[in-house]
Amino acid sequence: MLTRRAFLQNTIATSVAALSTKTDGFAIQDDLVIAGGRVIDPKNNLDGILDVAIQGSRIRAVQANLDISNASKVLNAKGKLVVPGLIDIHTHTRFMEMPSICLSDGVTSLVDGGSQGADRIDEILAVARAAPNLVRVLLNVARTGITRPVGELMDLRNADVQAGREAIERNQDLIVGLKARLSDTVAADADLEVVRRAQAIVSPFNLPIMVHVGNTASPLPEILPLLKPGDIVTHVYTQQRHGIFTDDGQVLPEVLAARDRGIWFDIGHGRIGHITWETGARAIDQGFLPDTISSDWSVPGSTDQVFDFPNVLSKFLLLGMSLSDVIRCGTINGAQVFPAFRDRGTLSVGGPADVAVLELREGNFEFVDNEHTPRTGNKKLVTTETILSGKHVPSA
Ligand SMILES: [Zn+2]
C-alpha cells in the first residue's frame, strides 16, 4: 500500500513525464551553449572540458556533456579556452569606440584609470554610460586630469579636495575610486601630500585610491603607510627608481607587509617606465605575483607594446606564471578590487553570462617590454568570441 507521500510523488512524476513527452515544455531550453572548451574559472576552482549553458543574460549551468539538443545556439569551443569575461582595471577610455574595441578582445568589464579629473569628468562618464560593457571610472586627484608635457600636479592647487568630492558626490554610480600619479615628472616632490589629499577626497565615500608609482620623489616604504586596505599600487613592476625592490633586488619587506594588510598590487603595463622583463621575472621568481594584470591601454598603446589585453596577459605566461594564475589576475581578482564588478570575473551559475573564448596559440611570438626589448614566447592568447550578458559578440 502506498503512503500518502509516495502517492503524491508518483502522481507528480507521472504528470511531469506526460507533459514533457507531449510538448517538450519541461525540456531545458538554453539560449546558448558554449560546448566542449577548456573552462578555466579560478574562483570556482574549475579547469576542465566542460559546457557552459546560458539562459537570457545568466549562466544556467557549467558541467560536462550537457544535453545541447534543445539549445537555440551552440558555440563549438573545442580546443579553445572558455574563461570569465576579462576584467581590465587600468585603461584609458578617452573616446567613444574604446570600450567596444576592448569588448571584442574579451574585456567585458574595465576601469578608466584617472584620465580626467573633476573639471572634465563628464567626458569619461559619457563614454562609460554609452559603453556596451561595464565601464567604471577613477577620478584623477588633479581636477585637470592627466596633463602633458607638464604634469598635472606640478601646481598642487590642482589637487583640489572640494572639487574632487563634488565630482564623486554627483557620480557615485560610475566613479569607483581615485587615481593619483606620483612620479616626480607629475608631482615633483609633493607625492606624499598628493596621497594625503587623495585620501581626503575619497574618505566620505569609502572608496579606494590607485597610486601610480615609479620614479617618485619618496621611496615606496614612505608612500605605503599612507594607503589603506583596498587601495591599489599600479605599475608594481616599474624599472624606475623607488620601485618594489631593495638595492640588491629583493622585494622590499614593506611591500610584502602592505600586501598582508590588504593593499593590491596591479601591473598597469603601458608603454613607458612601468615594466621590463627583468623586473617582472625578478618579482615572479621571488613569488611576488601581481594581484591584477592590467593593460594601461591607450591609443598609442594599441599599436605599441600593449596592443590588447590578451596580448598583455600572454606576456605573463612568458614570464613563468601559470595559465590559471594569469586568468585569475585578469578576471576574478579585478572583481575583488572593485565591488562594482563583484558578480563578475567568474562563471558561477546564476551570475551574469560574461564569457571570453580564447585560443591559446602555440608557436613563436615576439613580445616587447617597456624598453622595447624583444622576447620570444611560445604561447599567445587570442580572443575569438566574447559573450556579454548572454549576447554573442564576434571578435574582429
Ligand atoms: Zn594609466
Side-chain angles (χ1 to χ4, degrees):
M1 198 172 132
L2 286 172
T3 63
R4 181 178 158 76
R5 189 157 161 229
F7 173 77
L8 281 173
Q9 277 173 347
N10 260 0
T11 316
I12 291 163
T14 314
S15 58
V16 167
L19 264 176
S20 181
T21 355
K22 201 170 83 191
T23 64
D24 269 11
F26 278 73
I28 289 166
Q29 181 141 31
D30 291 312
D31 296 311
L32 175 63
V33 175
I34 306 165
R38 177 181 170 192
V39 170
I40 302 178
D41 180 5
K43 161 112 189 276
N44 291 316
N45 285 317
L46 287 180
D47 185 347
I49 305 300
L50 298 165
D51 302 325
V52 177
I54 294 167
Q55 280 181 351
S57 62
R58 302 267 150 190
I59 309 255
R60 184 193 62 80
V62 180
Q63 61 189 70
N65 302 314
L66 268 169
D67 176 10
I68 57 170
S69 56
N70 286 301
S72 303
K73 183 172 173 178
V74 177
L75 196 65
N76 181 3
K78 198 157 182 273
K80 296 186 181 180
L81 308 180
V82 178
V83 307
L86 303 175
I87 300 180
D88 189 349
I89 69 158
H90 183 168
T91 70
H92 292 280
T93 320
R94 285 177 175 271
F95 63 106
M96 280 293 174
E97 297 79 11
M98 183 272 185
S100 300
I101 294 171
C102 294
L103 180 60
S104 69
D105 298 326
V107 179
T108 51
S109 303
L110 59 106
V111 175
D112 178 88
S115 303
Q116 284 295 355
D119 292 346
R120 292 170 60 185
I121 194 63
D122 287 347
E123 294 173 19
I124 301 294
L125 298 176
V127 175
R129 283 196 186 93
N133 33 7
L134 202 57
V135 176
R136 293 294 179 266
V137 175
L138 302 181
L139 179 75
N140 198 297
V141 65
R143 59 184 305 157
T144 54
I146 293 174
T147 59
R148 292 193 175 92
V150 177
E152 60 268 18
L153 296 161
M154 287 297 173
D155 182 347
L156 206 51
R157 286 173 301 182
N158 285 336
D160 182 330
V161 172
Q162 197 52 35
R165 283 184 180 170
E166 284 168 16
I168 297 175
E169 178 77 51
R170 282 196 307 275
N171 300 290
Q172 292 185 66
D173 53 334
L174 293 175
I175 297 178
V176 295
L178 197 85
K179 172 76 177 292
R181 298 202 300 157
L182 304 181
S183 304
D184 72 359
T185 51
V186 177
D189 58 0
D191 48 4
L192 302 180
E193 174 59 17
V194 168
V195 178
R196 288 187 201 102
R197 291 199 197 181
Q199 298 291 22
I201 292 172
V202 297
S203 65
F205 309 100
N206 193 27
L207 291 176
I209 69 168
M210 176 189 277
V211 294
H212 155 141
V213 302
N215 203 28
T216 49
S218 308
L220 206 44
E222 290 182 25
I223 296 170
L224 293 171
L226 302 179
L227 303 183
K228 62 188 183 297
D231 287 343
I232 307 128
V233 175
T234 191
H235 312 313
V236 59
Y237 291 170
T238 179
Q239 75 273 33
Q240 296 183 321
R241 83 183 157 128
H242 293 162
I244 61 167
F245 299 107
T246 60
D247 289 342
D248 59 359
Q250 300 299 303
V251 175
L252 287 159
E254 292 89 344
V255 167
L256 300 174
R259 167 167 279 175
D260 283 346
R261 70 182 180 91
I263 311 296
W264 303 104
F265 290 90
D266 173 58
I267 290 298
H269 186 288
R271 295 183 310 125
I272 303 164
H274 301 334
I275 184 169
T276 64
W277 299 120
E278 286 71 27
T279 54
R282 195 187 302 152
I284 289 168
D285 289 349
Q286 291 177 41
F288 192 78
L289 271 54
D291 292 303
T292 47
I293 297 172
S294 65
S295 66
D296 200 3
W297 196 97
S298 63
V299 174
S302 67
T303 53
D304 176 34
Q305 301 177 48
V306 176
F307 298 98
D308 55 60
F309 194 43
N311 185 66
V312 171
L313 294 175
S314 305
K315 294 182 182 192
F316 291 84
L317 297 175
L318 171 48
L319 281 167
M321 280 176 63
S322 71
L323 180 60
S324 77
D325 280 342
V326 167
I327 298 300
R328 180 190 303 276
C329 288
T331 59
I332 186 62
N333 285 7
Q336 284 171 347
V337 174
F338 290 109
F341 301 148
R342 85 171 70 72
D343 56 353
R344 315 281 161 153
T346 171
L347 300 173
S348 295
V349 169
D354 288 359
V355 188
V357 181
L358 310 172
E359 284 180 3
L360 183 60
R361 292 188 184 161
E362 310 234 344
N364 291 315
F365 306 99
E366 186 174 280
F367 301 95
V368 294
D369 66 6
N370 279 179
E371 294 182 346
H372 284 99
T373 306
R375 273 201 191 180
T376 302
N378 55 20
K379 290 190 172 66
K380 184 173 177 166
L381 291 164
V382 177
T383 301
T384 61
E385 328 274 343
T386 308
I387 315 301
L388 177 70
S389 292
K391 297 217 163 47
H392 182 204
V393 184
S395 286

